[in-house]
């Protein structure tokens, strides 16, 4: 009888111990593994999506001034939105189209040509650039007539060259205007017999540099051209652009690495290459003394 009692007691003790061991240690581990096996939970819905959709609807309705204002407001109010990058891209396209065309906008001023006026002189008076005046008025010649009314877009921009994200950001009175990505050259191929090297530690991010534009240059077949050169309109349209920046080594230039057979001409000291269409826009927008921050 005692033996039976001892056996029953042992079973009870070890059974209880096994039960609590399972309860305290085994089951939580099983539940943790089961949770890990489940697909990740979908992210919570982005509350900014309805606002973004309204901005897109304005853009699609061809109300570019309204869309511009809506996207700018969206970017300021929704810095963590999943649509922030898309909003910046759309706002940049709208901004450059309004600036570089005859599309009417409140910031564009009217100027009546006076005796002795030339486009470069009007540009200085109105804080603009000759290229912007030509584009905003759809002018195909540079001769002005006394009494002619011009629409002049201001050119009060600054630049941020972001070396880490490889882009150039244009600011209009410290607010986002447009961004341009660096042209990415094809990566160099390693020799098949070259042994792989250990991956180097990431270099520390260099400090910010305060800089400025010193000259905007257009080059065609090694020769400088301007929109005012007679019989060279096509040459100017196809020219490479250099935006020289001081200190040296940070200039912007037209990168034609994606165009087969067209060499890329880099300014002395080098810098950062951008696609041709990006450089064409920047060359029209910027002028000497434009402030630049290199990050």
């Amino acid at each position: 009888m005692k033996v039976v009692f001892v056996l029953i007691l042992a079973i009870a003790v070890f059974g209880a111990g096994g039960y609590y061991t399972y309860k305290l240690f085994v089951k939580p581990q099983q539940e943790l593994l089961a949770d890990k096996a489940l697909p990740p939970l979908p992210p919570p819905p982005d509350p900014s999506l309805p606002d973004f959709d309204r901005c897109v609807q304005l853009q699609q309705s061809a109300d570019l001034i309204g869309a511009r204002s809506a996207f700018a407001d969206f970017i300021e109010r929704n810095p963590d939105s999943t649509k922030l990058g898309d909003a910046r891209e759309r706002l940049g396209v709208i901004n450059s189209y309004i600036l570089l065309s005859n599309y009417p906008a409140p910031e564009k001023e009217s100027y009546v040509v006076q005796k002795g006026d030339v486009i470069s002189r009007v540009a200085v008076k109105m804080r603009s650039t000759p290229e912007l005046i030509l584009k905003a008025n759809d002018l195909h010649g540079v001769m002005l007539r006394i009494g002619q009314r011009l629409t002049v877009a201001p050119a009060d921009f600054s630049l941020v060259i972001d070396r880490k994200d490889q882009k150039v950001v244009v600011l209009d009175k410290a607010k986002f205007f447009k961004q341009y990505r660096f042209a990415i050259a094809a990566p160099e191929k390693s020799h098949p017999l070259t042994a792989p090297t250990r991956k180097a530690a990431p270099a520390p991010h260099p400090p910010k540099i305060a800089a400025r534009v010193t000259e905007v240059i257009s080059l065609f077949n090694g020769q400088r051209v301007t929109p005012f050169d007679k019989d060279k309109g096509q040459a100017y349209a196809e020219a490479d652009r250099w935006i020289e920046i001081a200190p040296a080594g940070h200039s912007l230039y037209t990168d034609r690495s994606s165009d087969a057979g067209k060499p890329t001409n880099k300014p002395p000291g080098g810098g950062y290459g951008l696609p041709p269409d990006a450089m064409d826009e920047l060359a029209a927008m910027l002028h000497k003394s434009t402030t630049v921050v290199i990050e």
Side-chain angles (χ1 to χ4, degrees), residues 208-236:
K208 289 184 180 181
I209 302 172
R212 64 183 180 88
V213 174
T214 58
E215 195 167 8
V216 179
I217 300 172
S218 297
L219 292 172
F220 184 76
N221 291 336
Q223 301 293 320
R224 290 197 183 196
V225 292
T226 75
F228 312 115
D229 296 332
K230 292 182 178 180
D231 303 324
K232 291 186 179 180
Q234 189 63 30
Y236 179 79

Side-chain angles (χ1 to χ4, degrees), residues 42-242:
D46 187 341
S48 70
L49 292 182
D51 283 347
F52 178 79
D53 290 339
R54 283 191 286 272
C55 295
V56 173
Q57 288 172 5
L58 282 171
Q59 183 182 14
Q60 293 174 344
S61 70
D63 179 8
L64 296 188
I65 301 301
R68 177 179 68 173
S69 177
F71 276 119
D73 184 61
F74 177 89
I75 290 170
E76 286 196 8
R77 290 189 296 104
N78 300 281
D80 299 321
S81 171
T82 58
K83 291 294 186 179
L84 182 63
D86 196 354
R88 283 175 173 262
E89 292 297 329
R90 288 175 179 269
L91 177 58
V93 170
I94 293 170
N95 278 336
S96 60
Y97 178 80
I98 291 174
L99 179 73
L100 299 168
S101 72
N102 57 6
Y103 193 92
E107 68 274 11
K108 293 182 178 180
E109 300 181 54
S110 182
Y111 180 84
V112 178
V113 176
Q114 308 295 317
K115 184 177 180 180
D117 275 343
V118 293
I119 290 180
S120 57
R121 186 177 301 172
V122 175
V124 172
K125 284 183 184 179
M126 302 298 288
R127 308 180 314 282
S128 186
T129 72
E131 290 84 351
L132 283 185
I133 293 176
L134 290 171
K135 291 177 181 297
N137 294 274
D138 197 23
L139 296 177
H140 302 286
V142 296
M143 297 300 296
L144 299 178
R145 305 184 309 275
I146 295 175
Q148 183 179 3
R149 189 174 295 276
L150 301 175
T151 298
V152 183
D156 187 17
F157 300 105
S158 59
L159 288 186
V160 175
I161 299 177
D162 188 335
R163 291 173 286 185
K164 180 180 178 181
D165 289 342
Q166 299 190 324
K167 64 183 179 181
V168 175
V169 181
V170 181
L171 303 178
D172 181 9
K173 300 178 180 65
K175 292 187 177 182
F176 177 86
F177 185 85
K178 190 171 184 177
Q179 64 187 20
Y180 301 91
R181 299 286 177 181
F182 291 178
I184 306 299
E188 296 183 2
K189 295 183 179 179
S190 60
H191 193 278
L193 299 181
T194 302
T197 57
R198 181 178 297 178
K199 188 176 181 180
H205 191 69
K208 289 184 180 181
I209 302 172
R212 64 183 180 88
V213 174
T214 58
E215 195 167 8
V216 179
I217 300 172
S218 297
L219 292 172
F220 184 76
N221 291 336
Q223 301 293 320
R224 290 197 183 196
V225 292
T226 75
F228 312 115
D229 296 332
K230 292 182 178 180
D231 303 324
K232 291 186 179 180
Q234 189 63 30
Y236 179 79
E238 297 177 3
D240 291 334
R241 317 293 182 198
W242 288 0

Side-chain angles (χ1 to χ4, degrees), residues 243-263:
I243 299 173
E244 295 194 338
I245 294 174
H250 300 287
S251 295
L252 305 177
Y253 61 88
T254 300
D255 187 320
R256 298 193 180 277
S257 58
S258 61
D259 296 340
K262 292 187 178 180

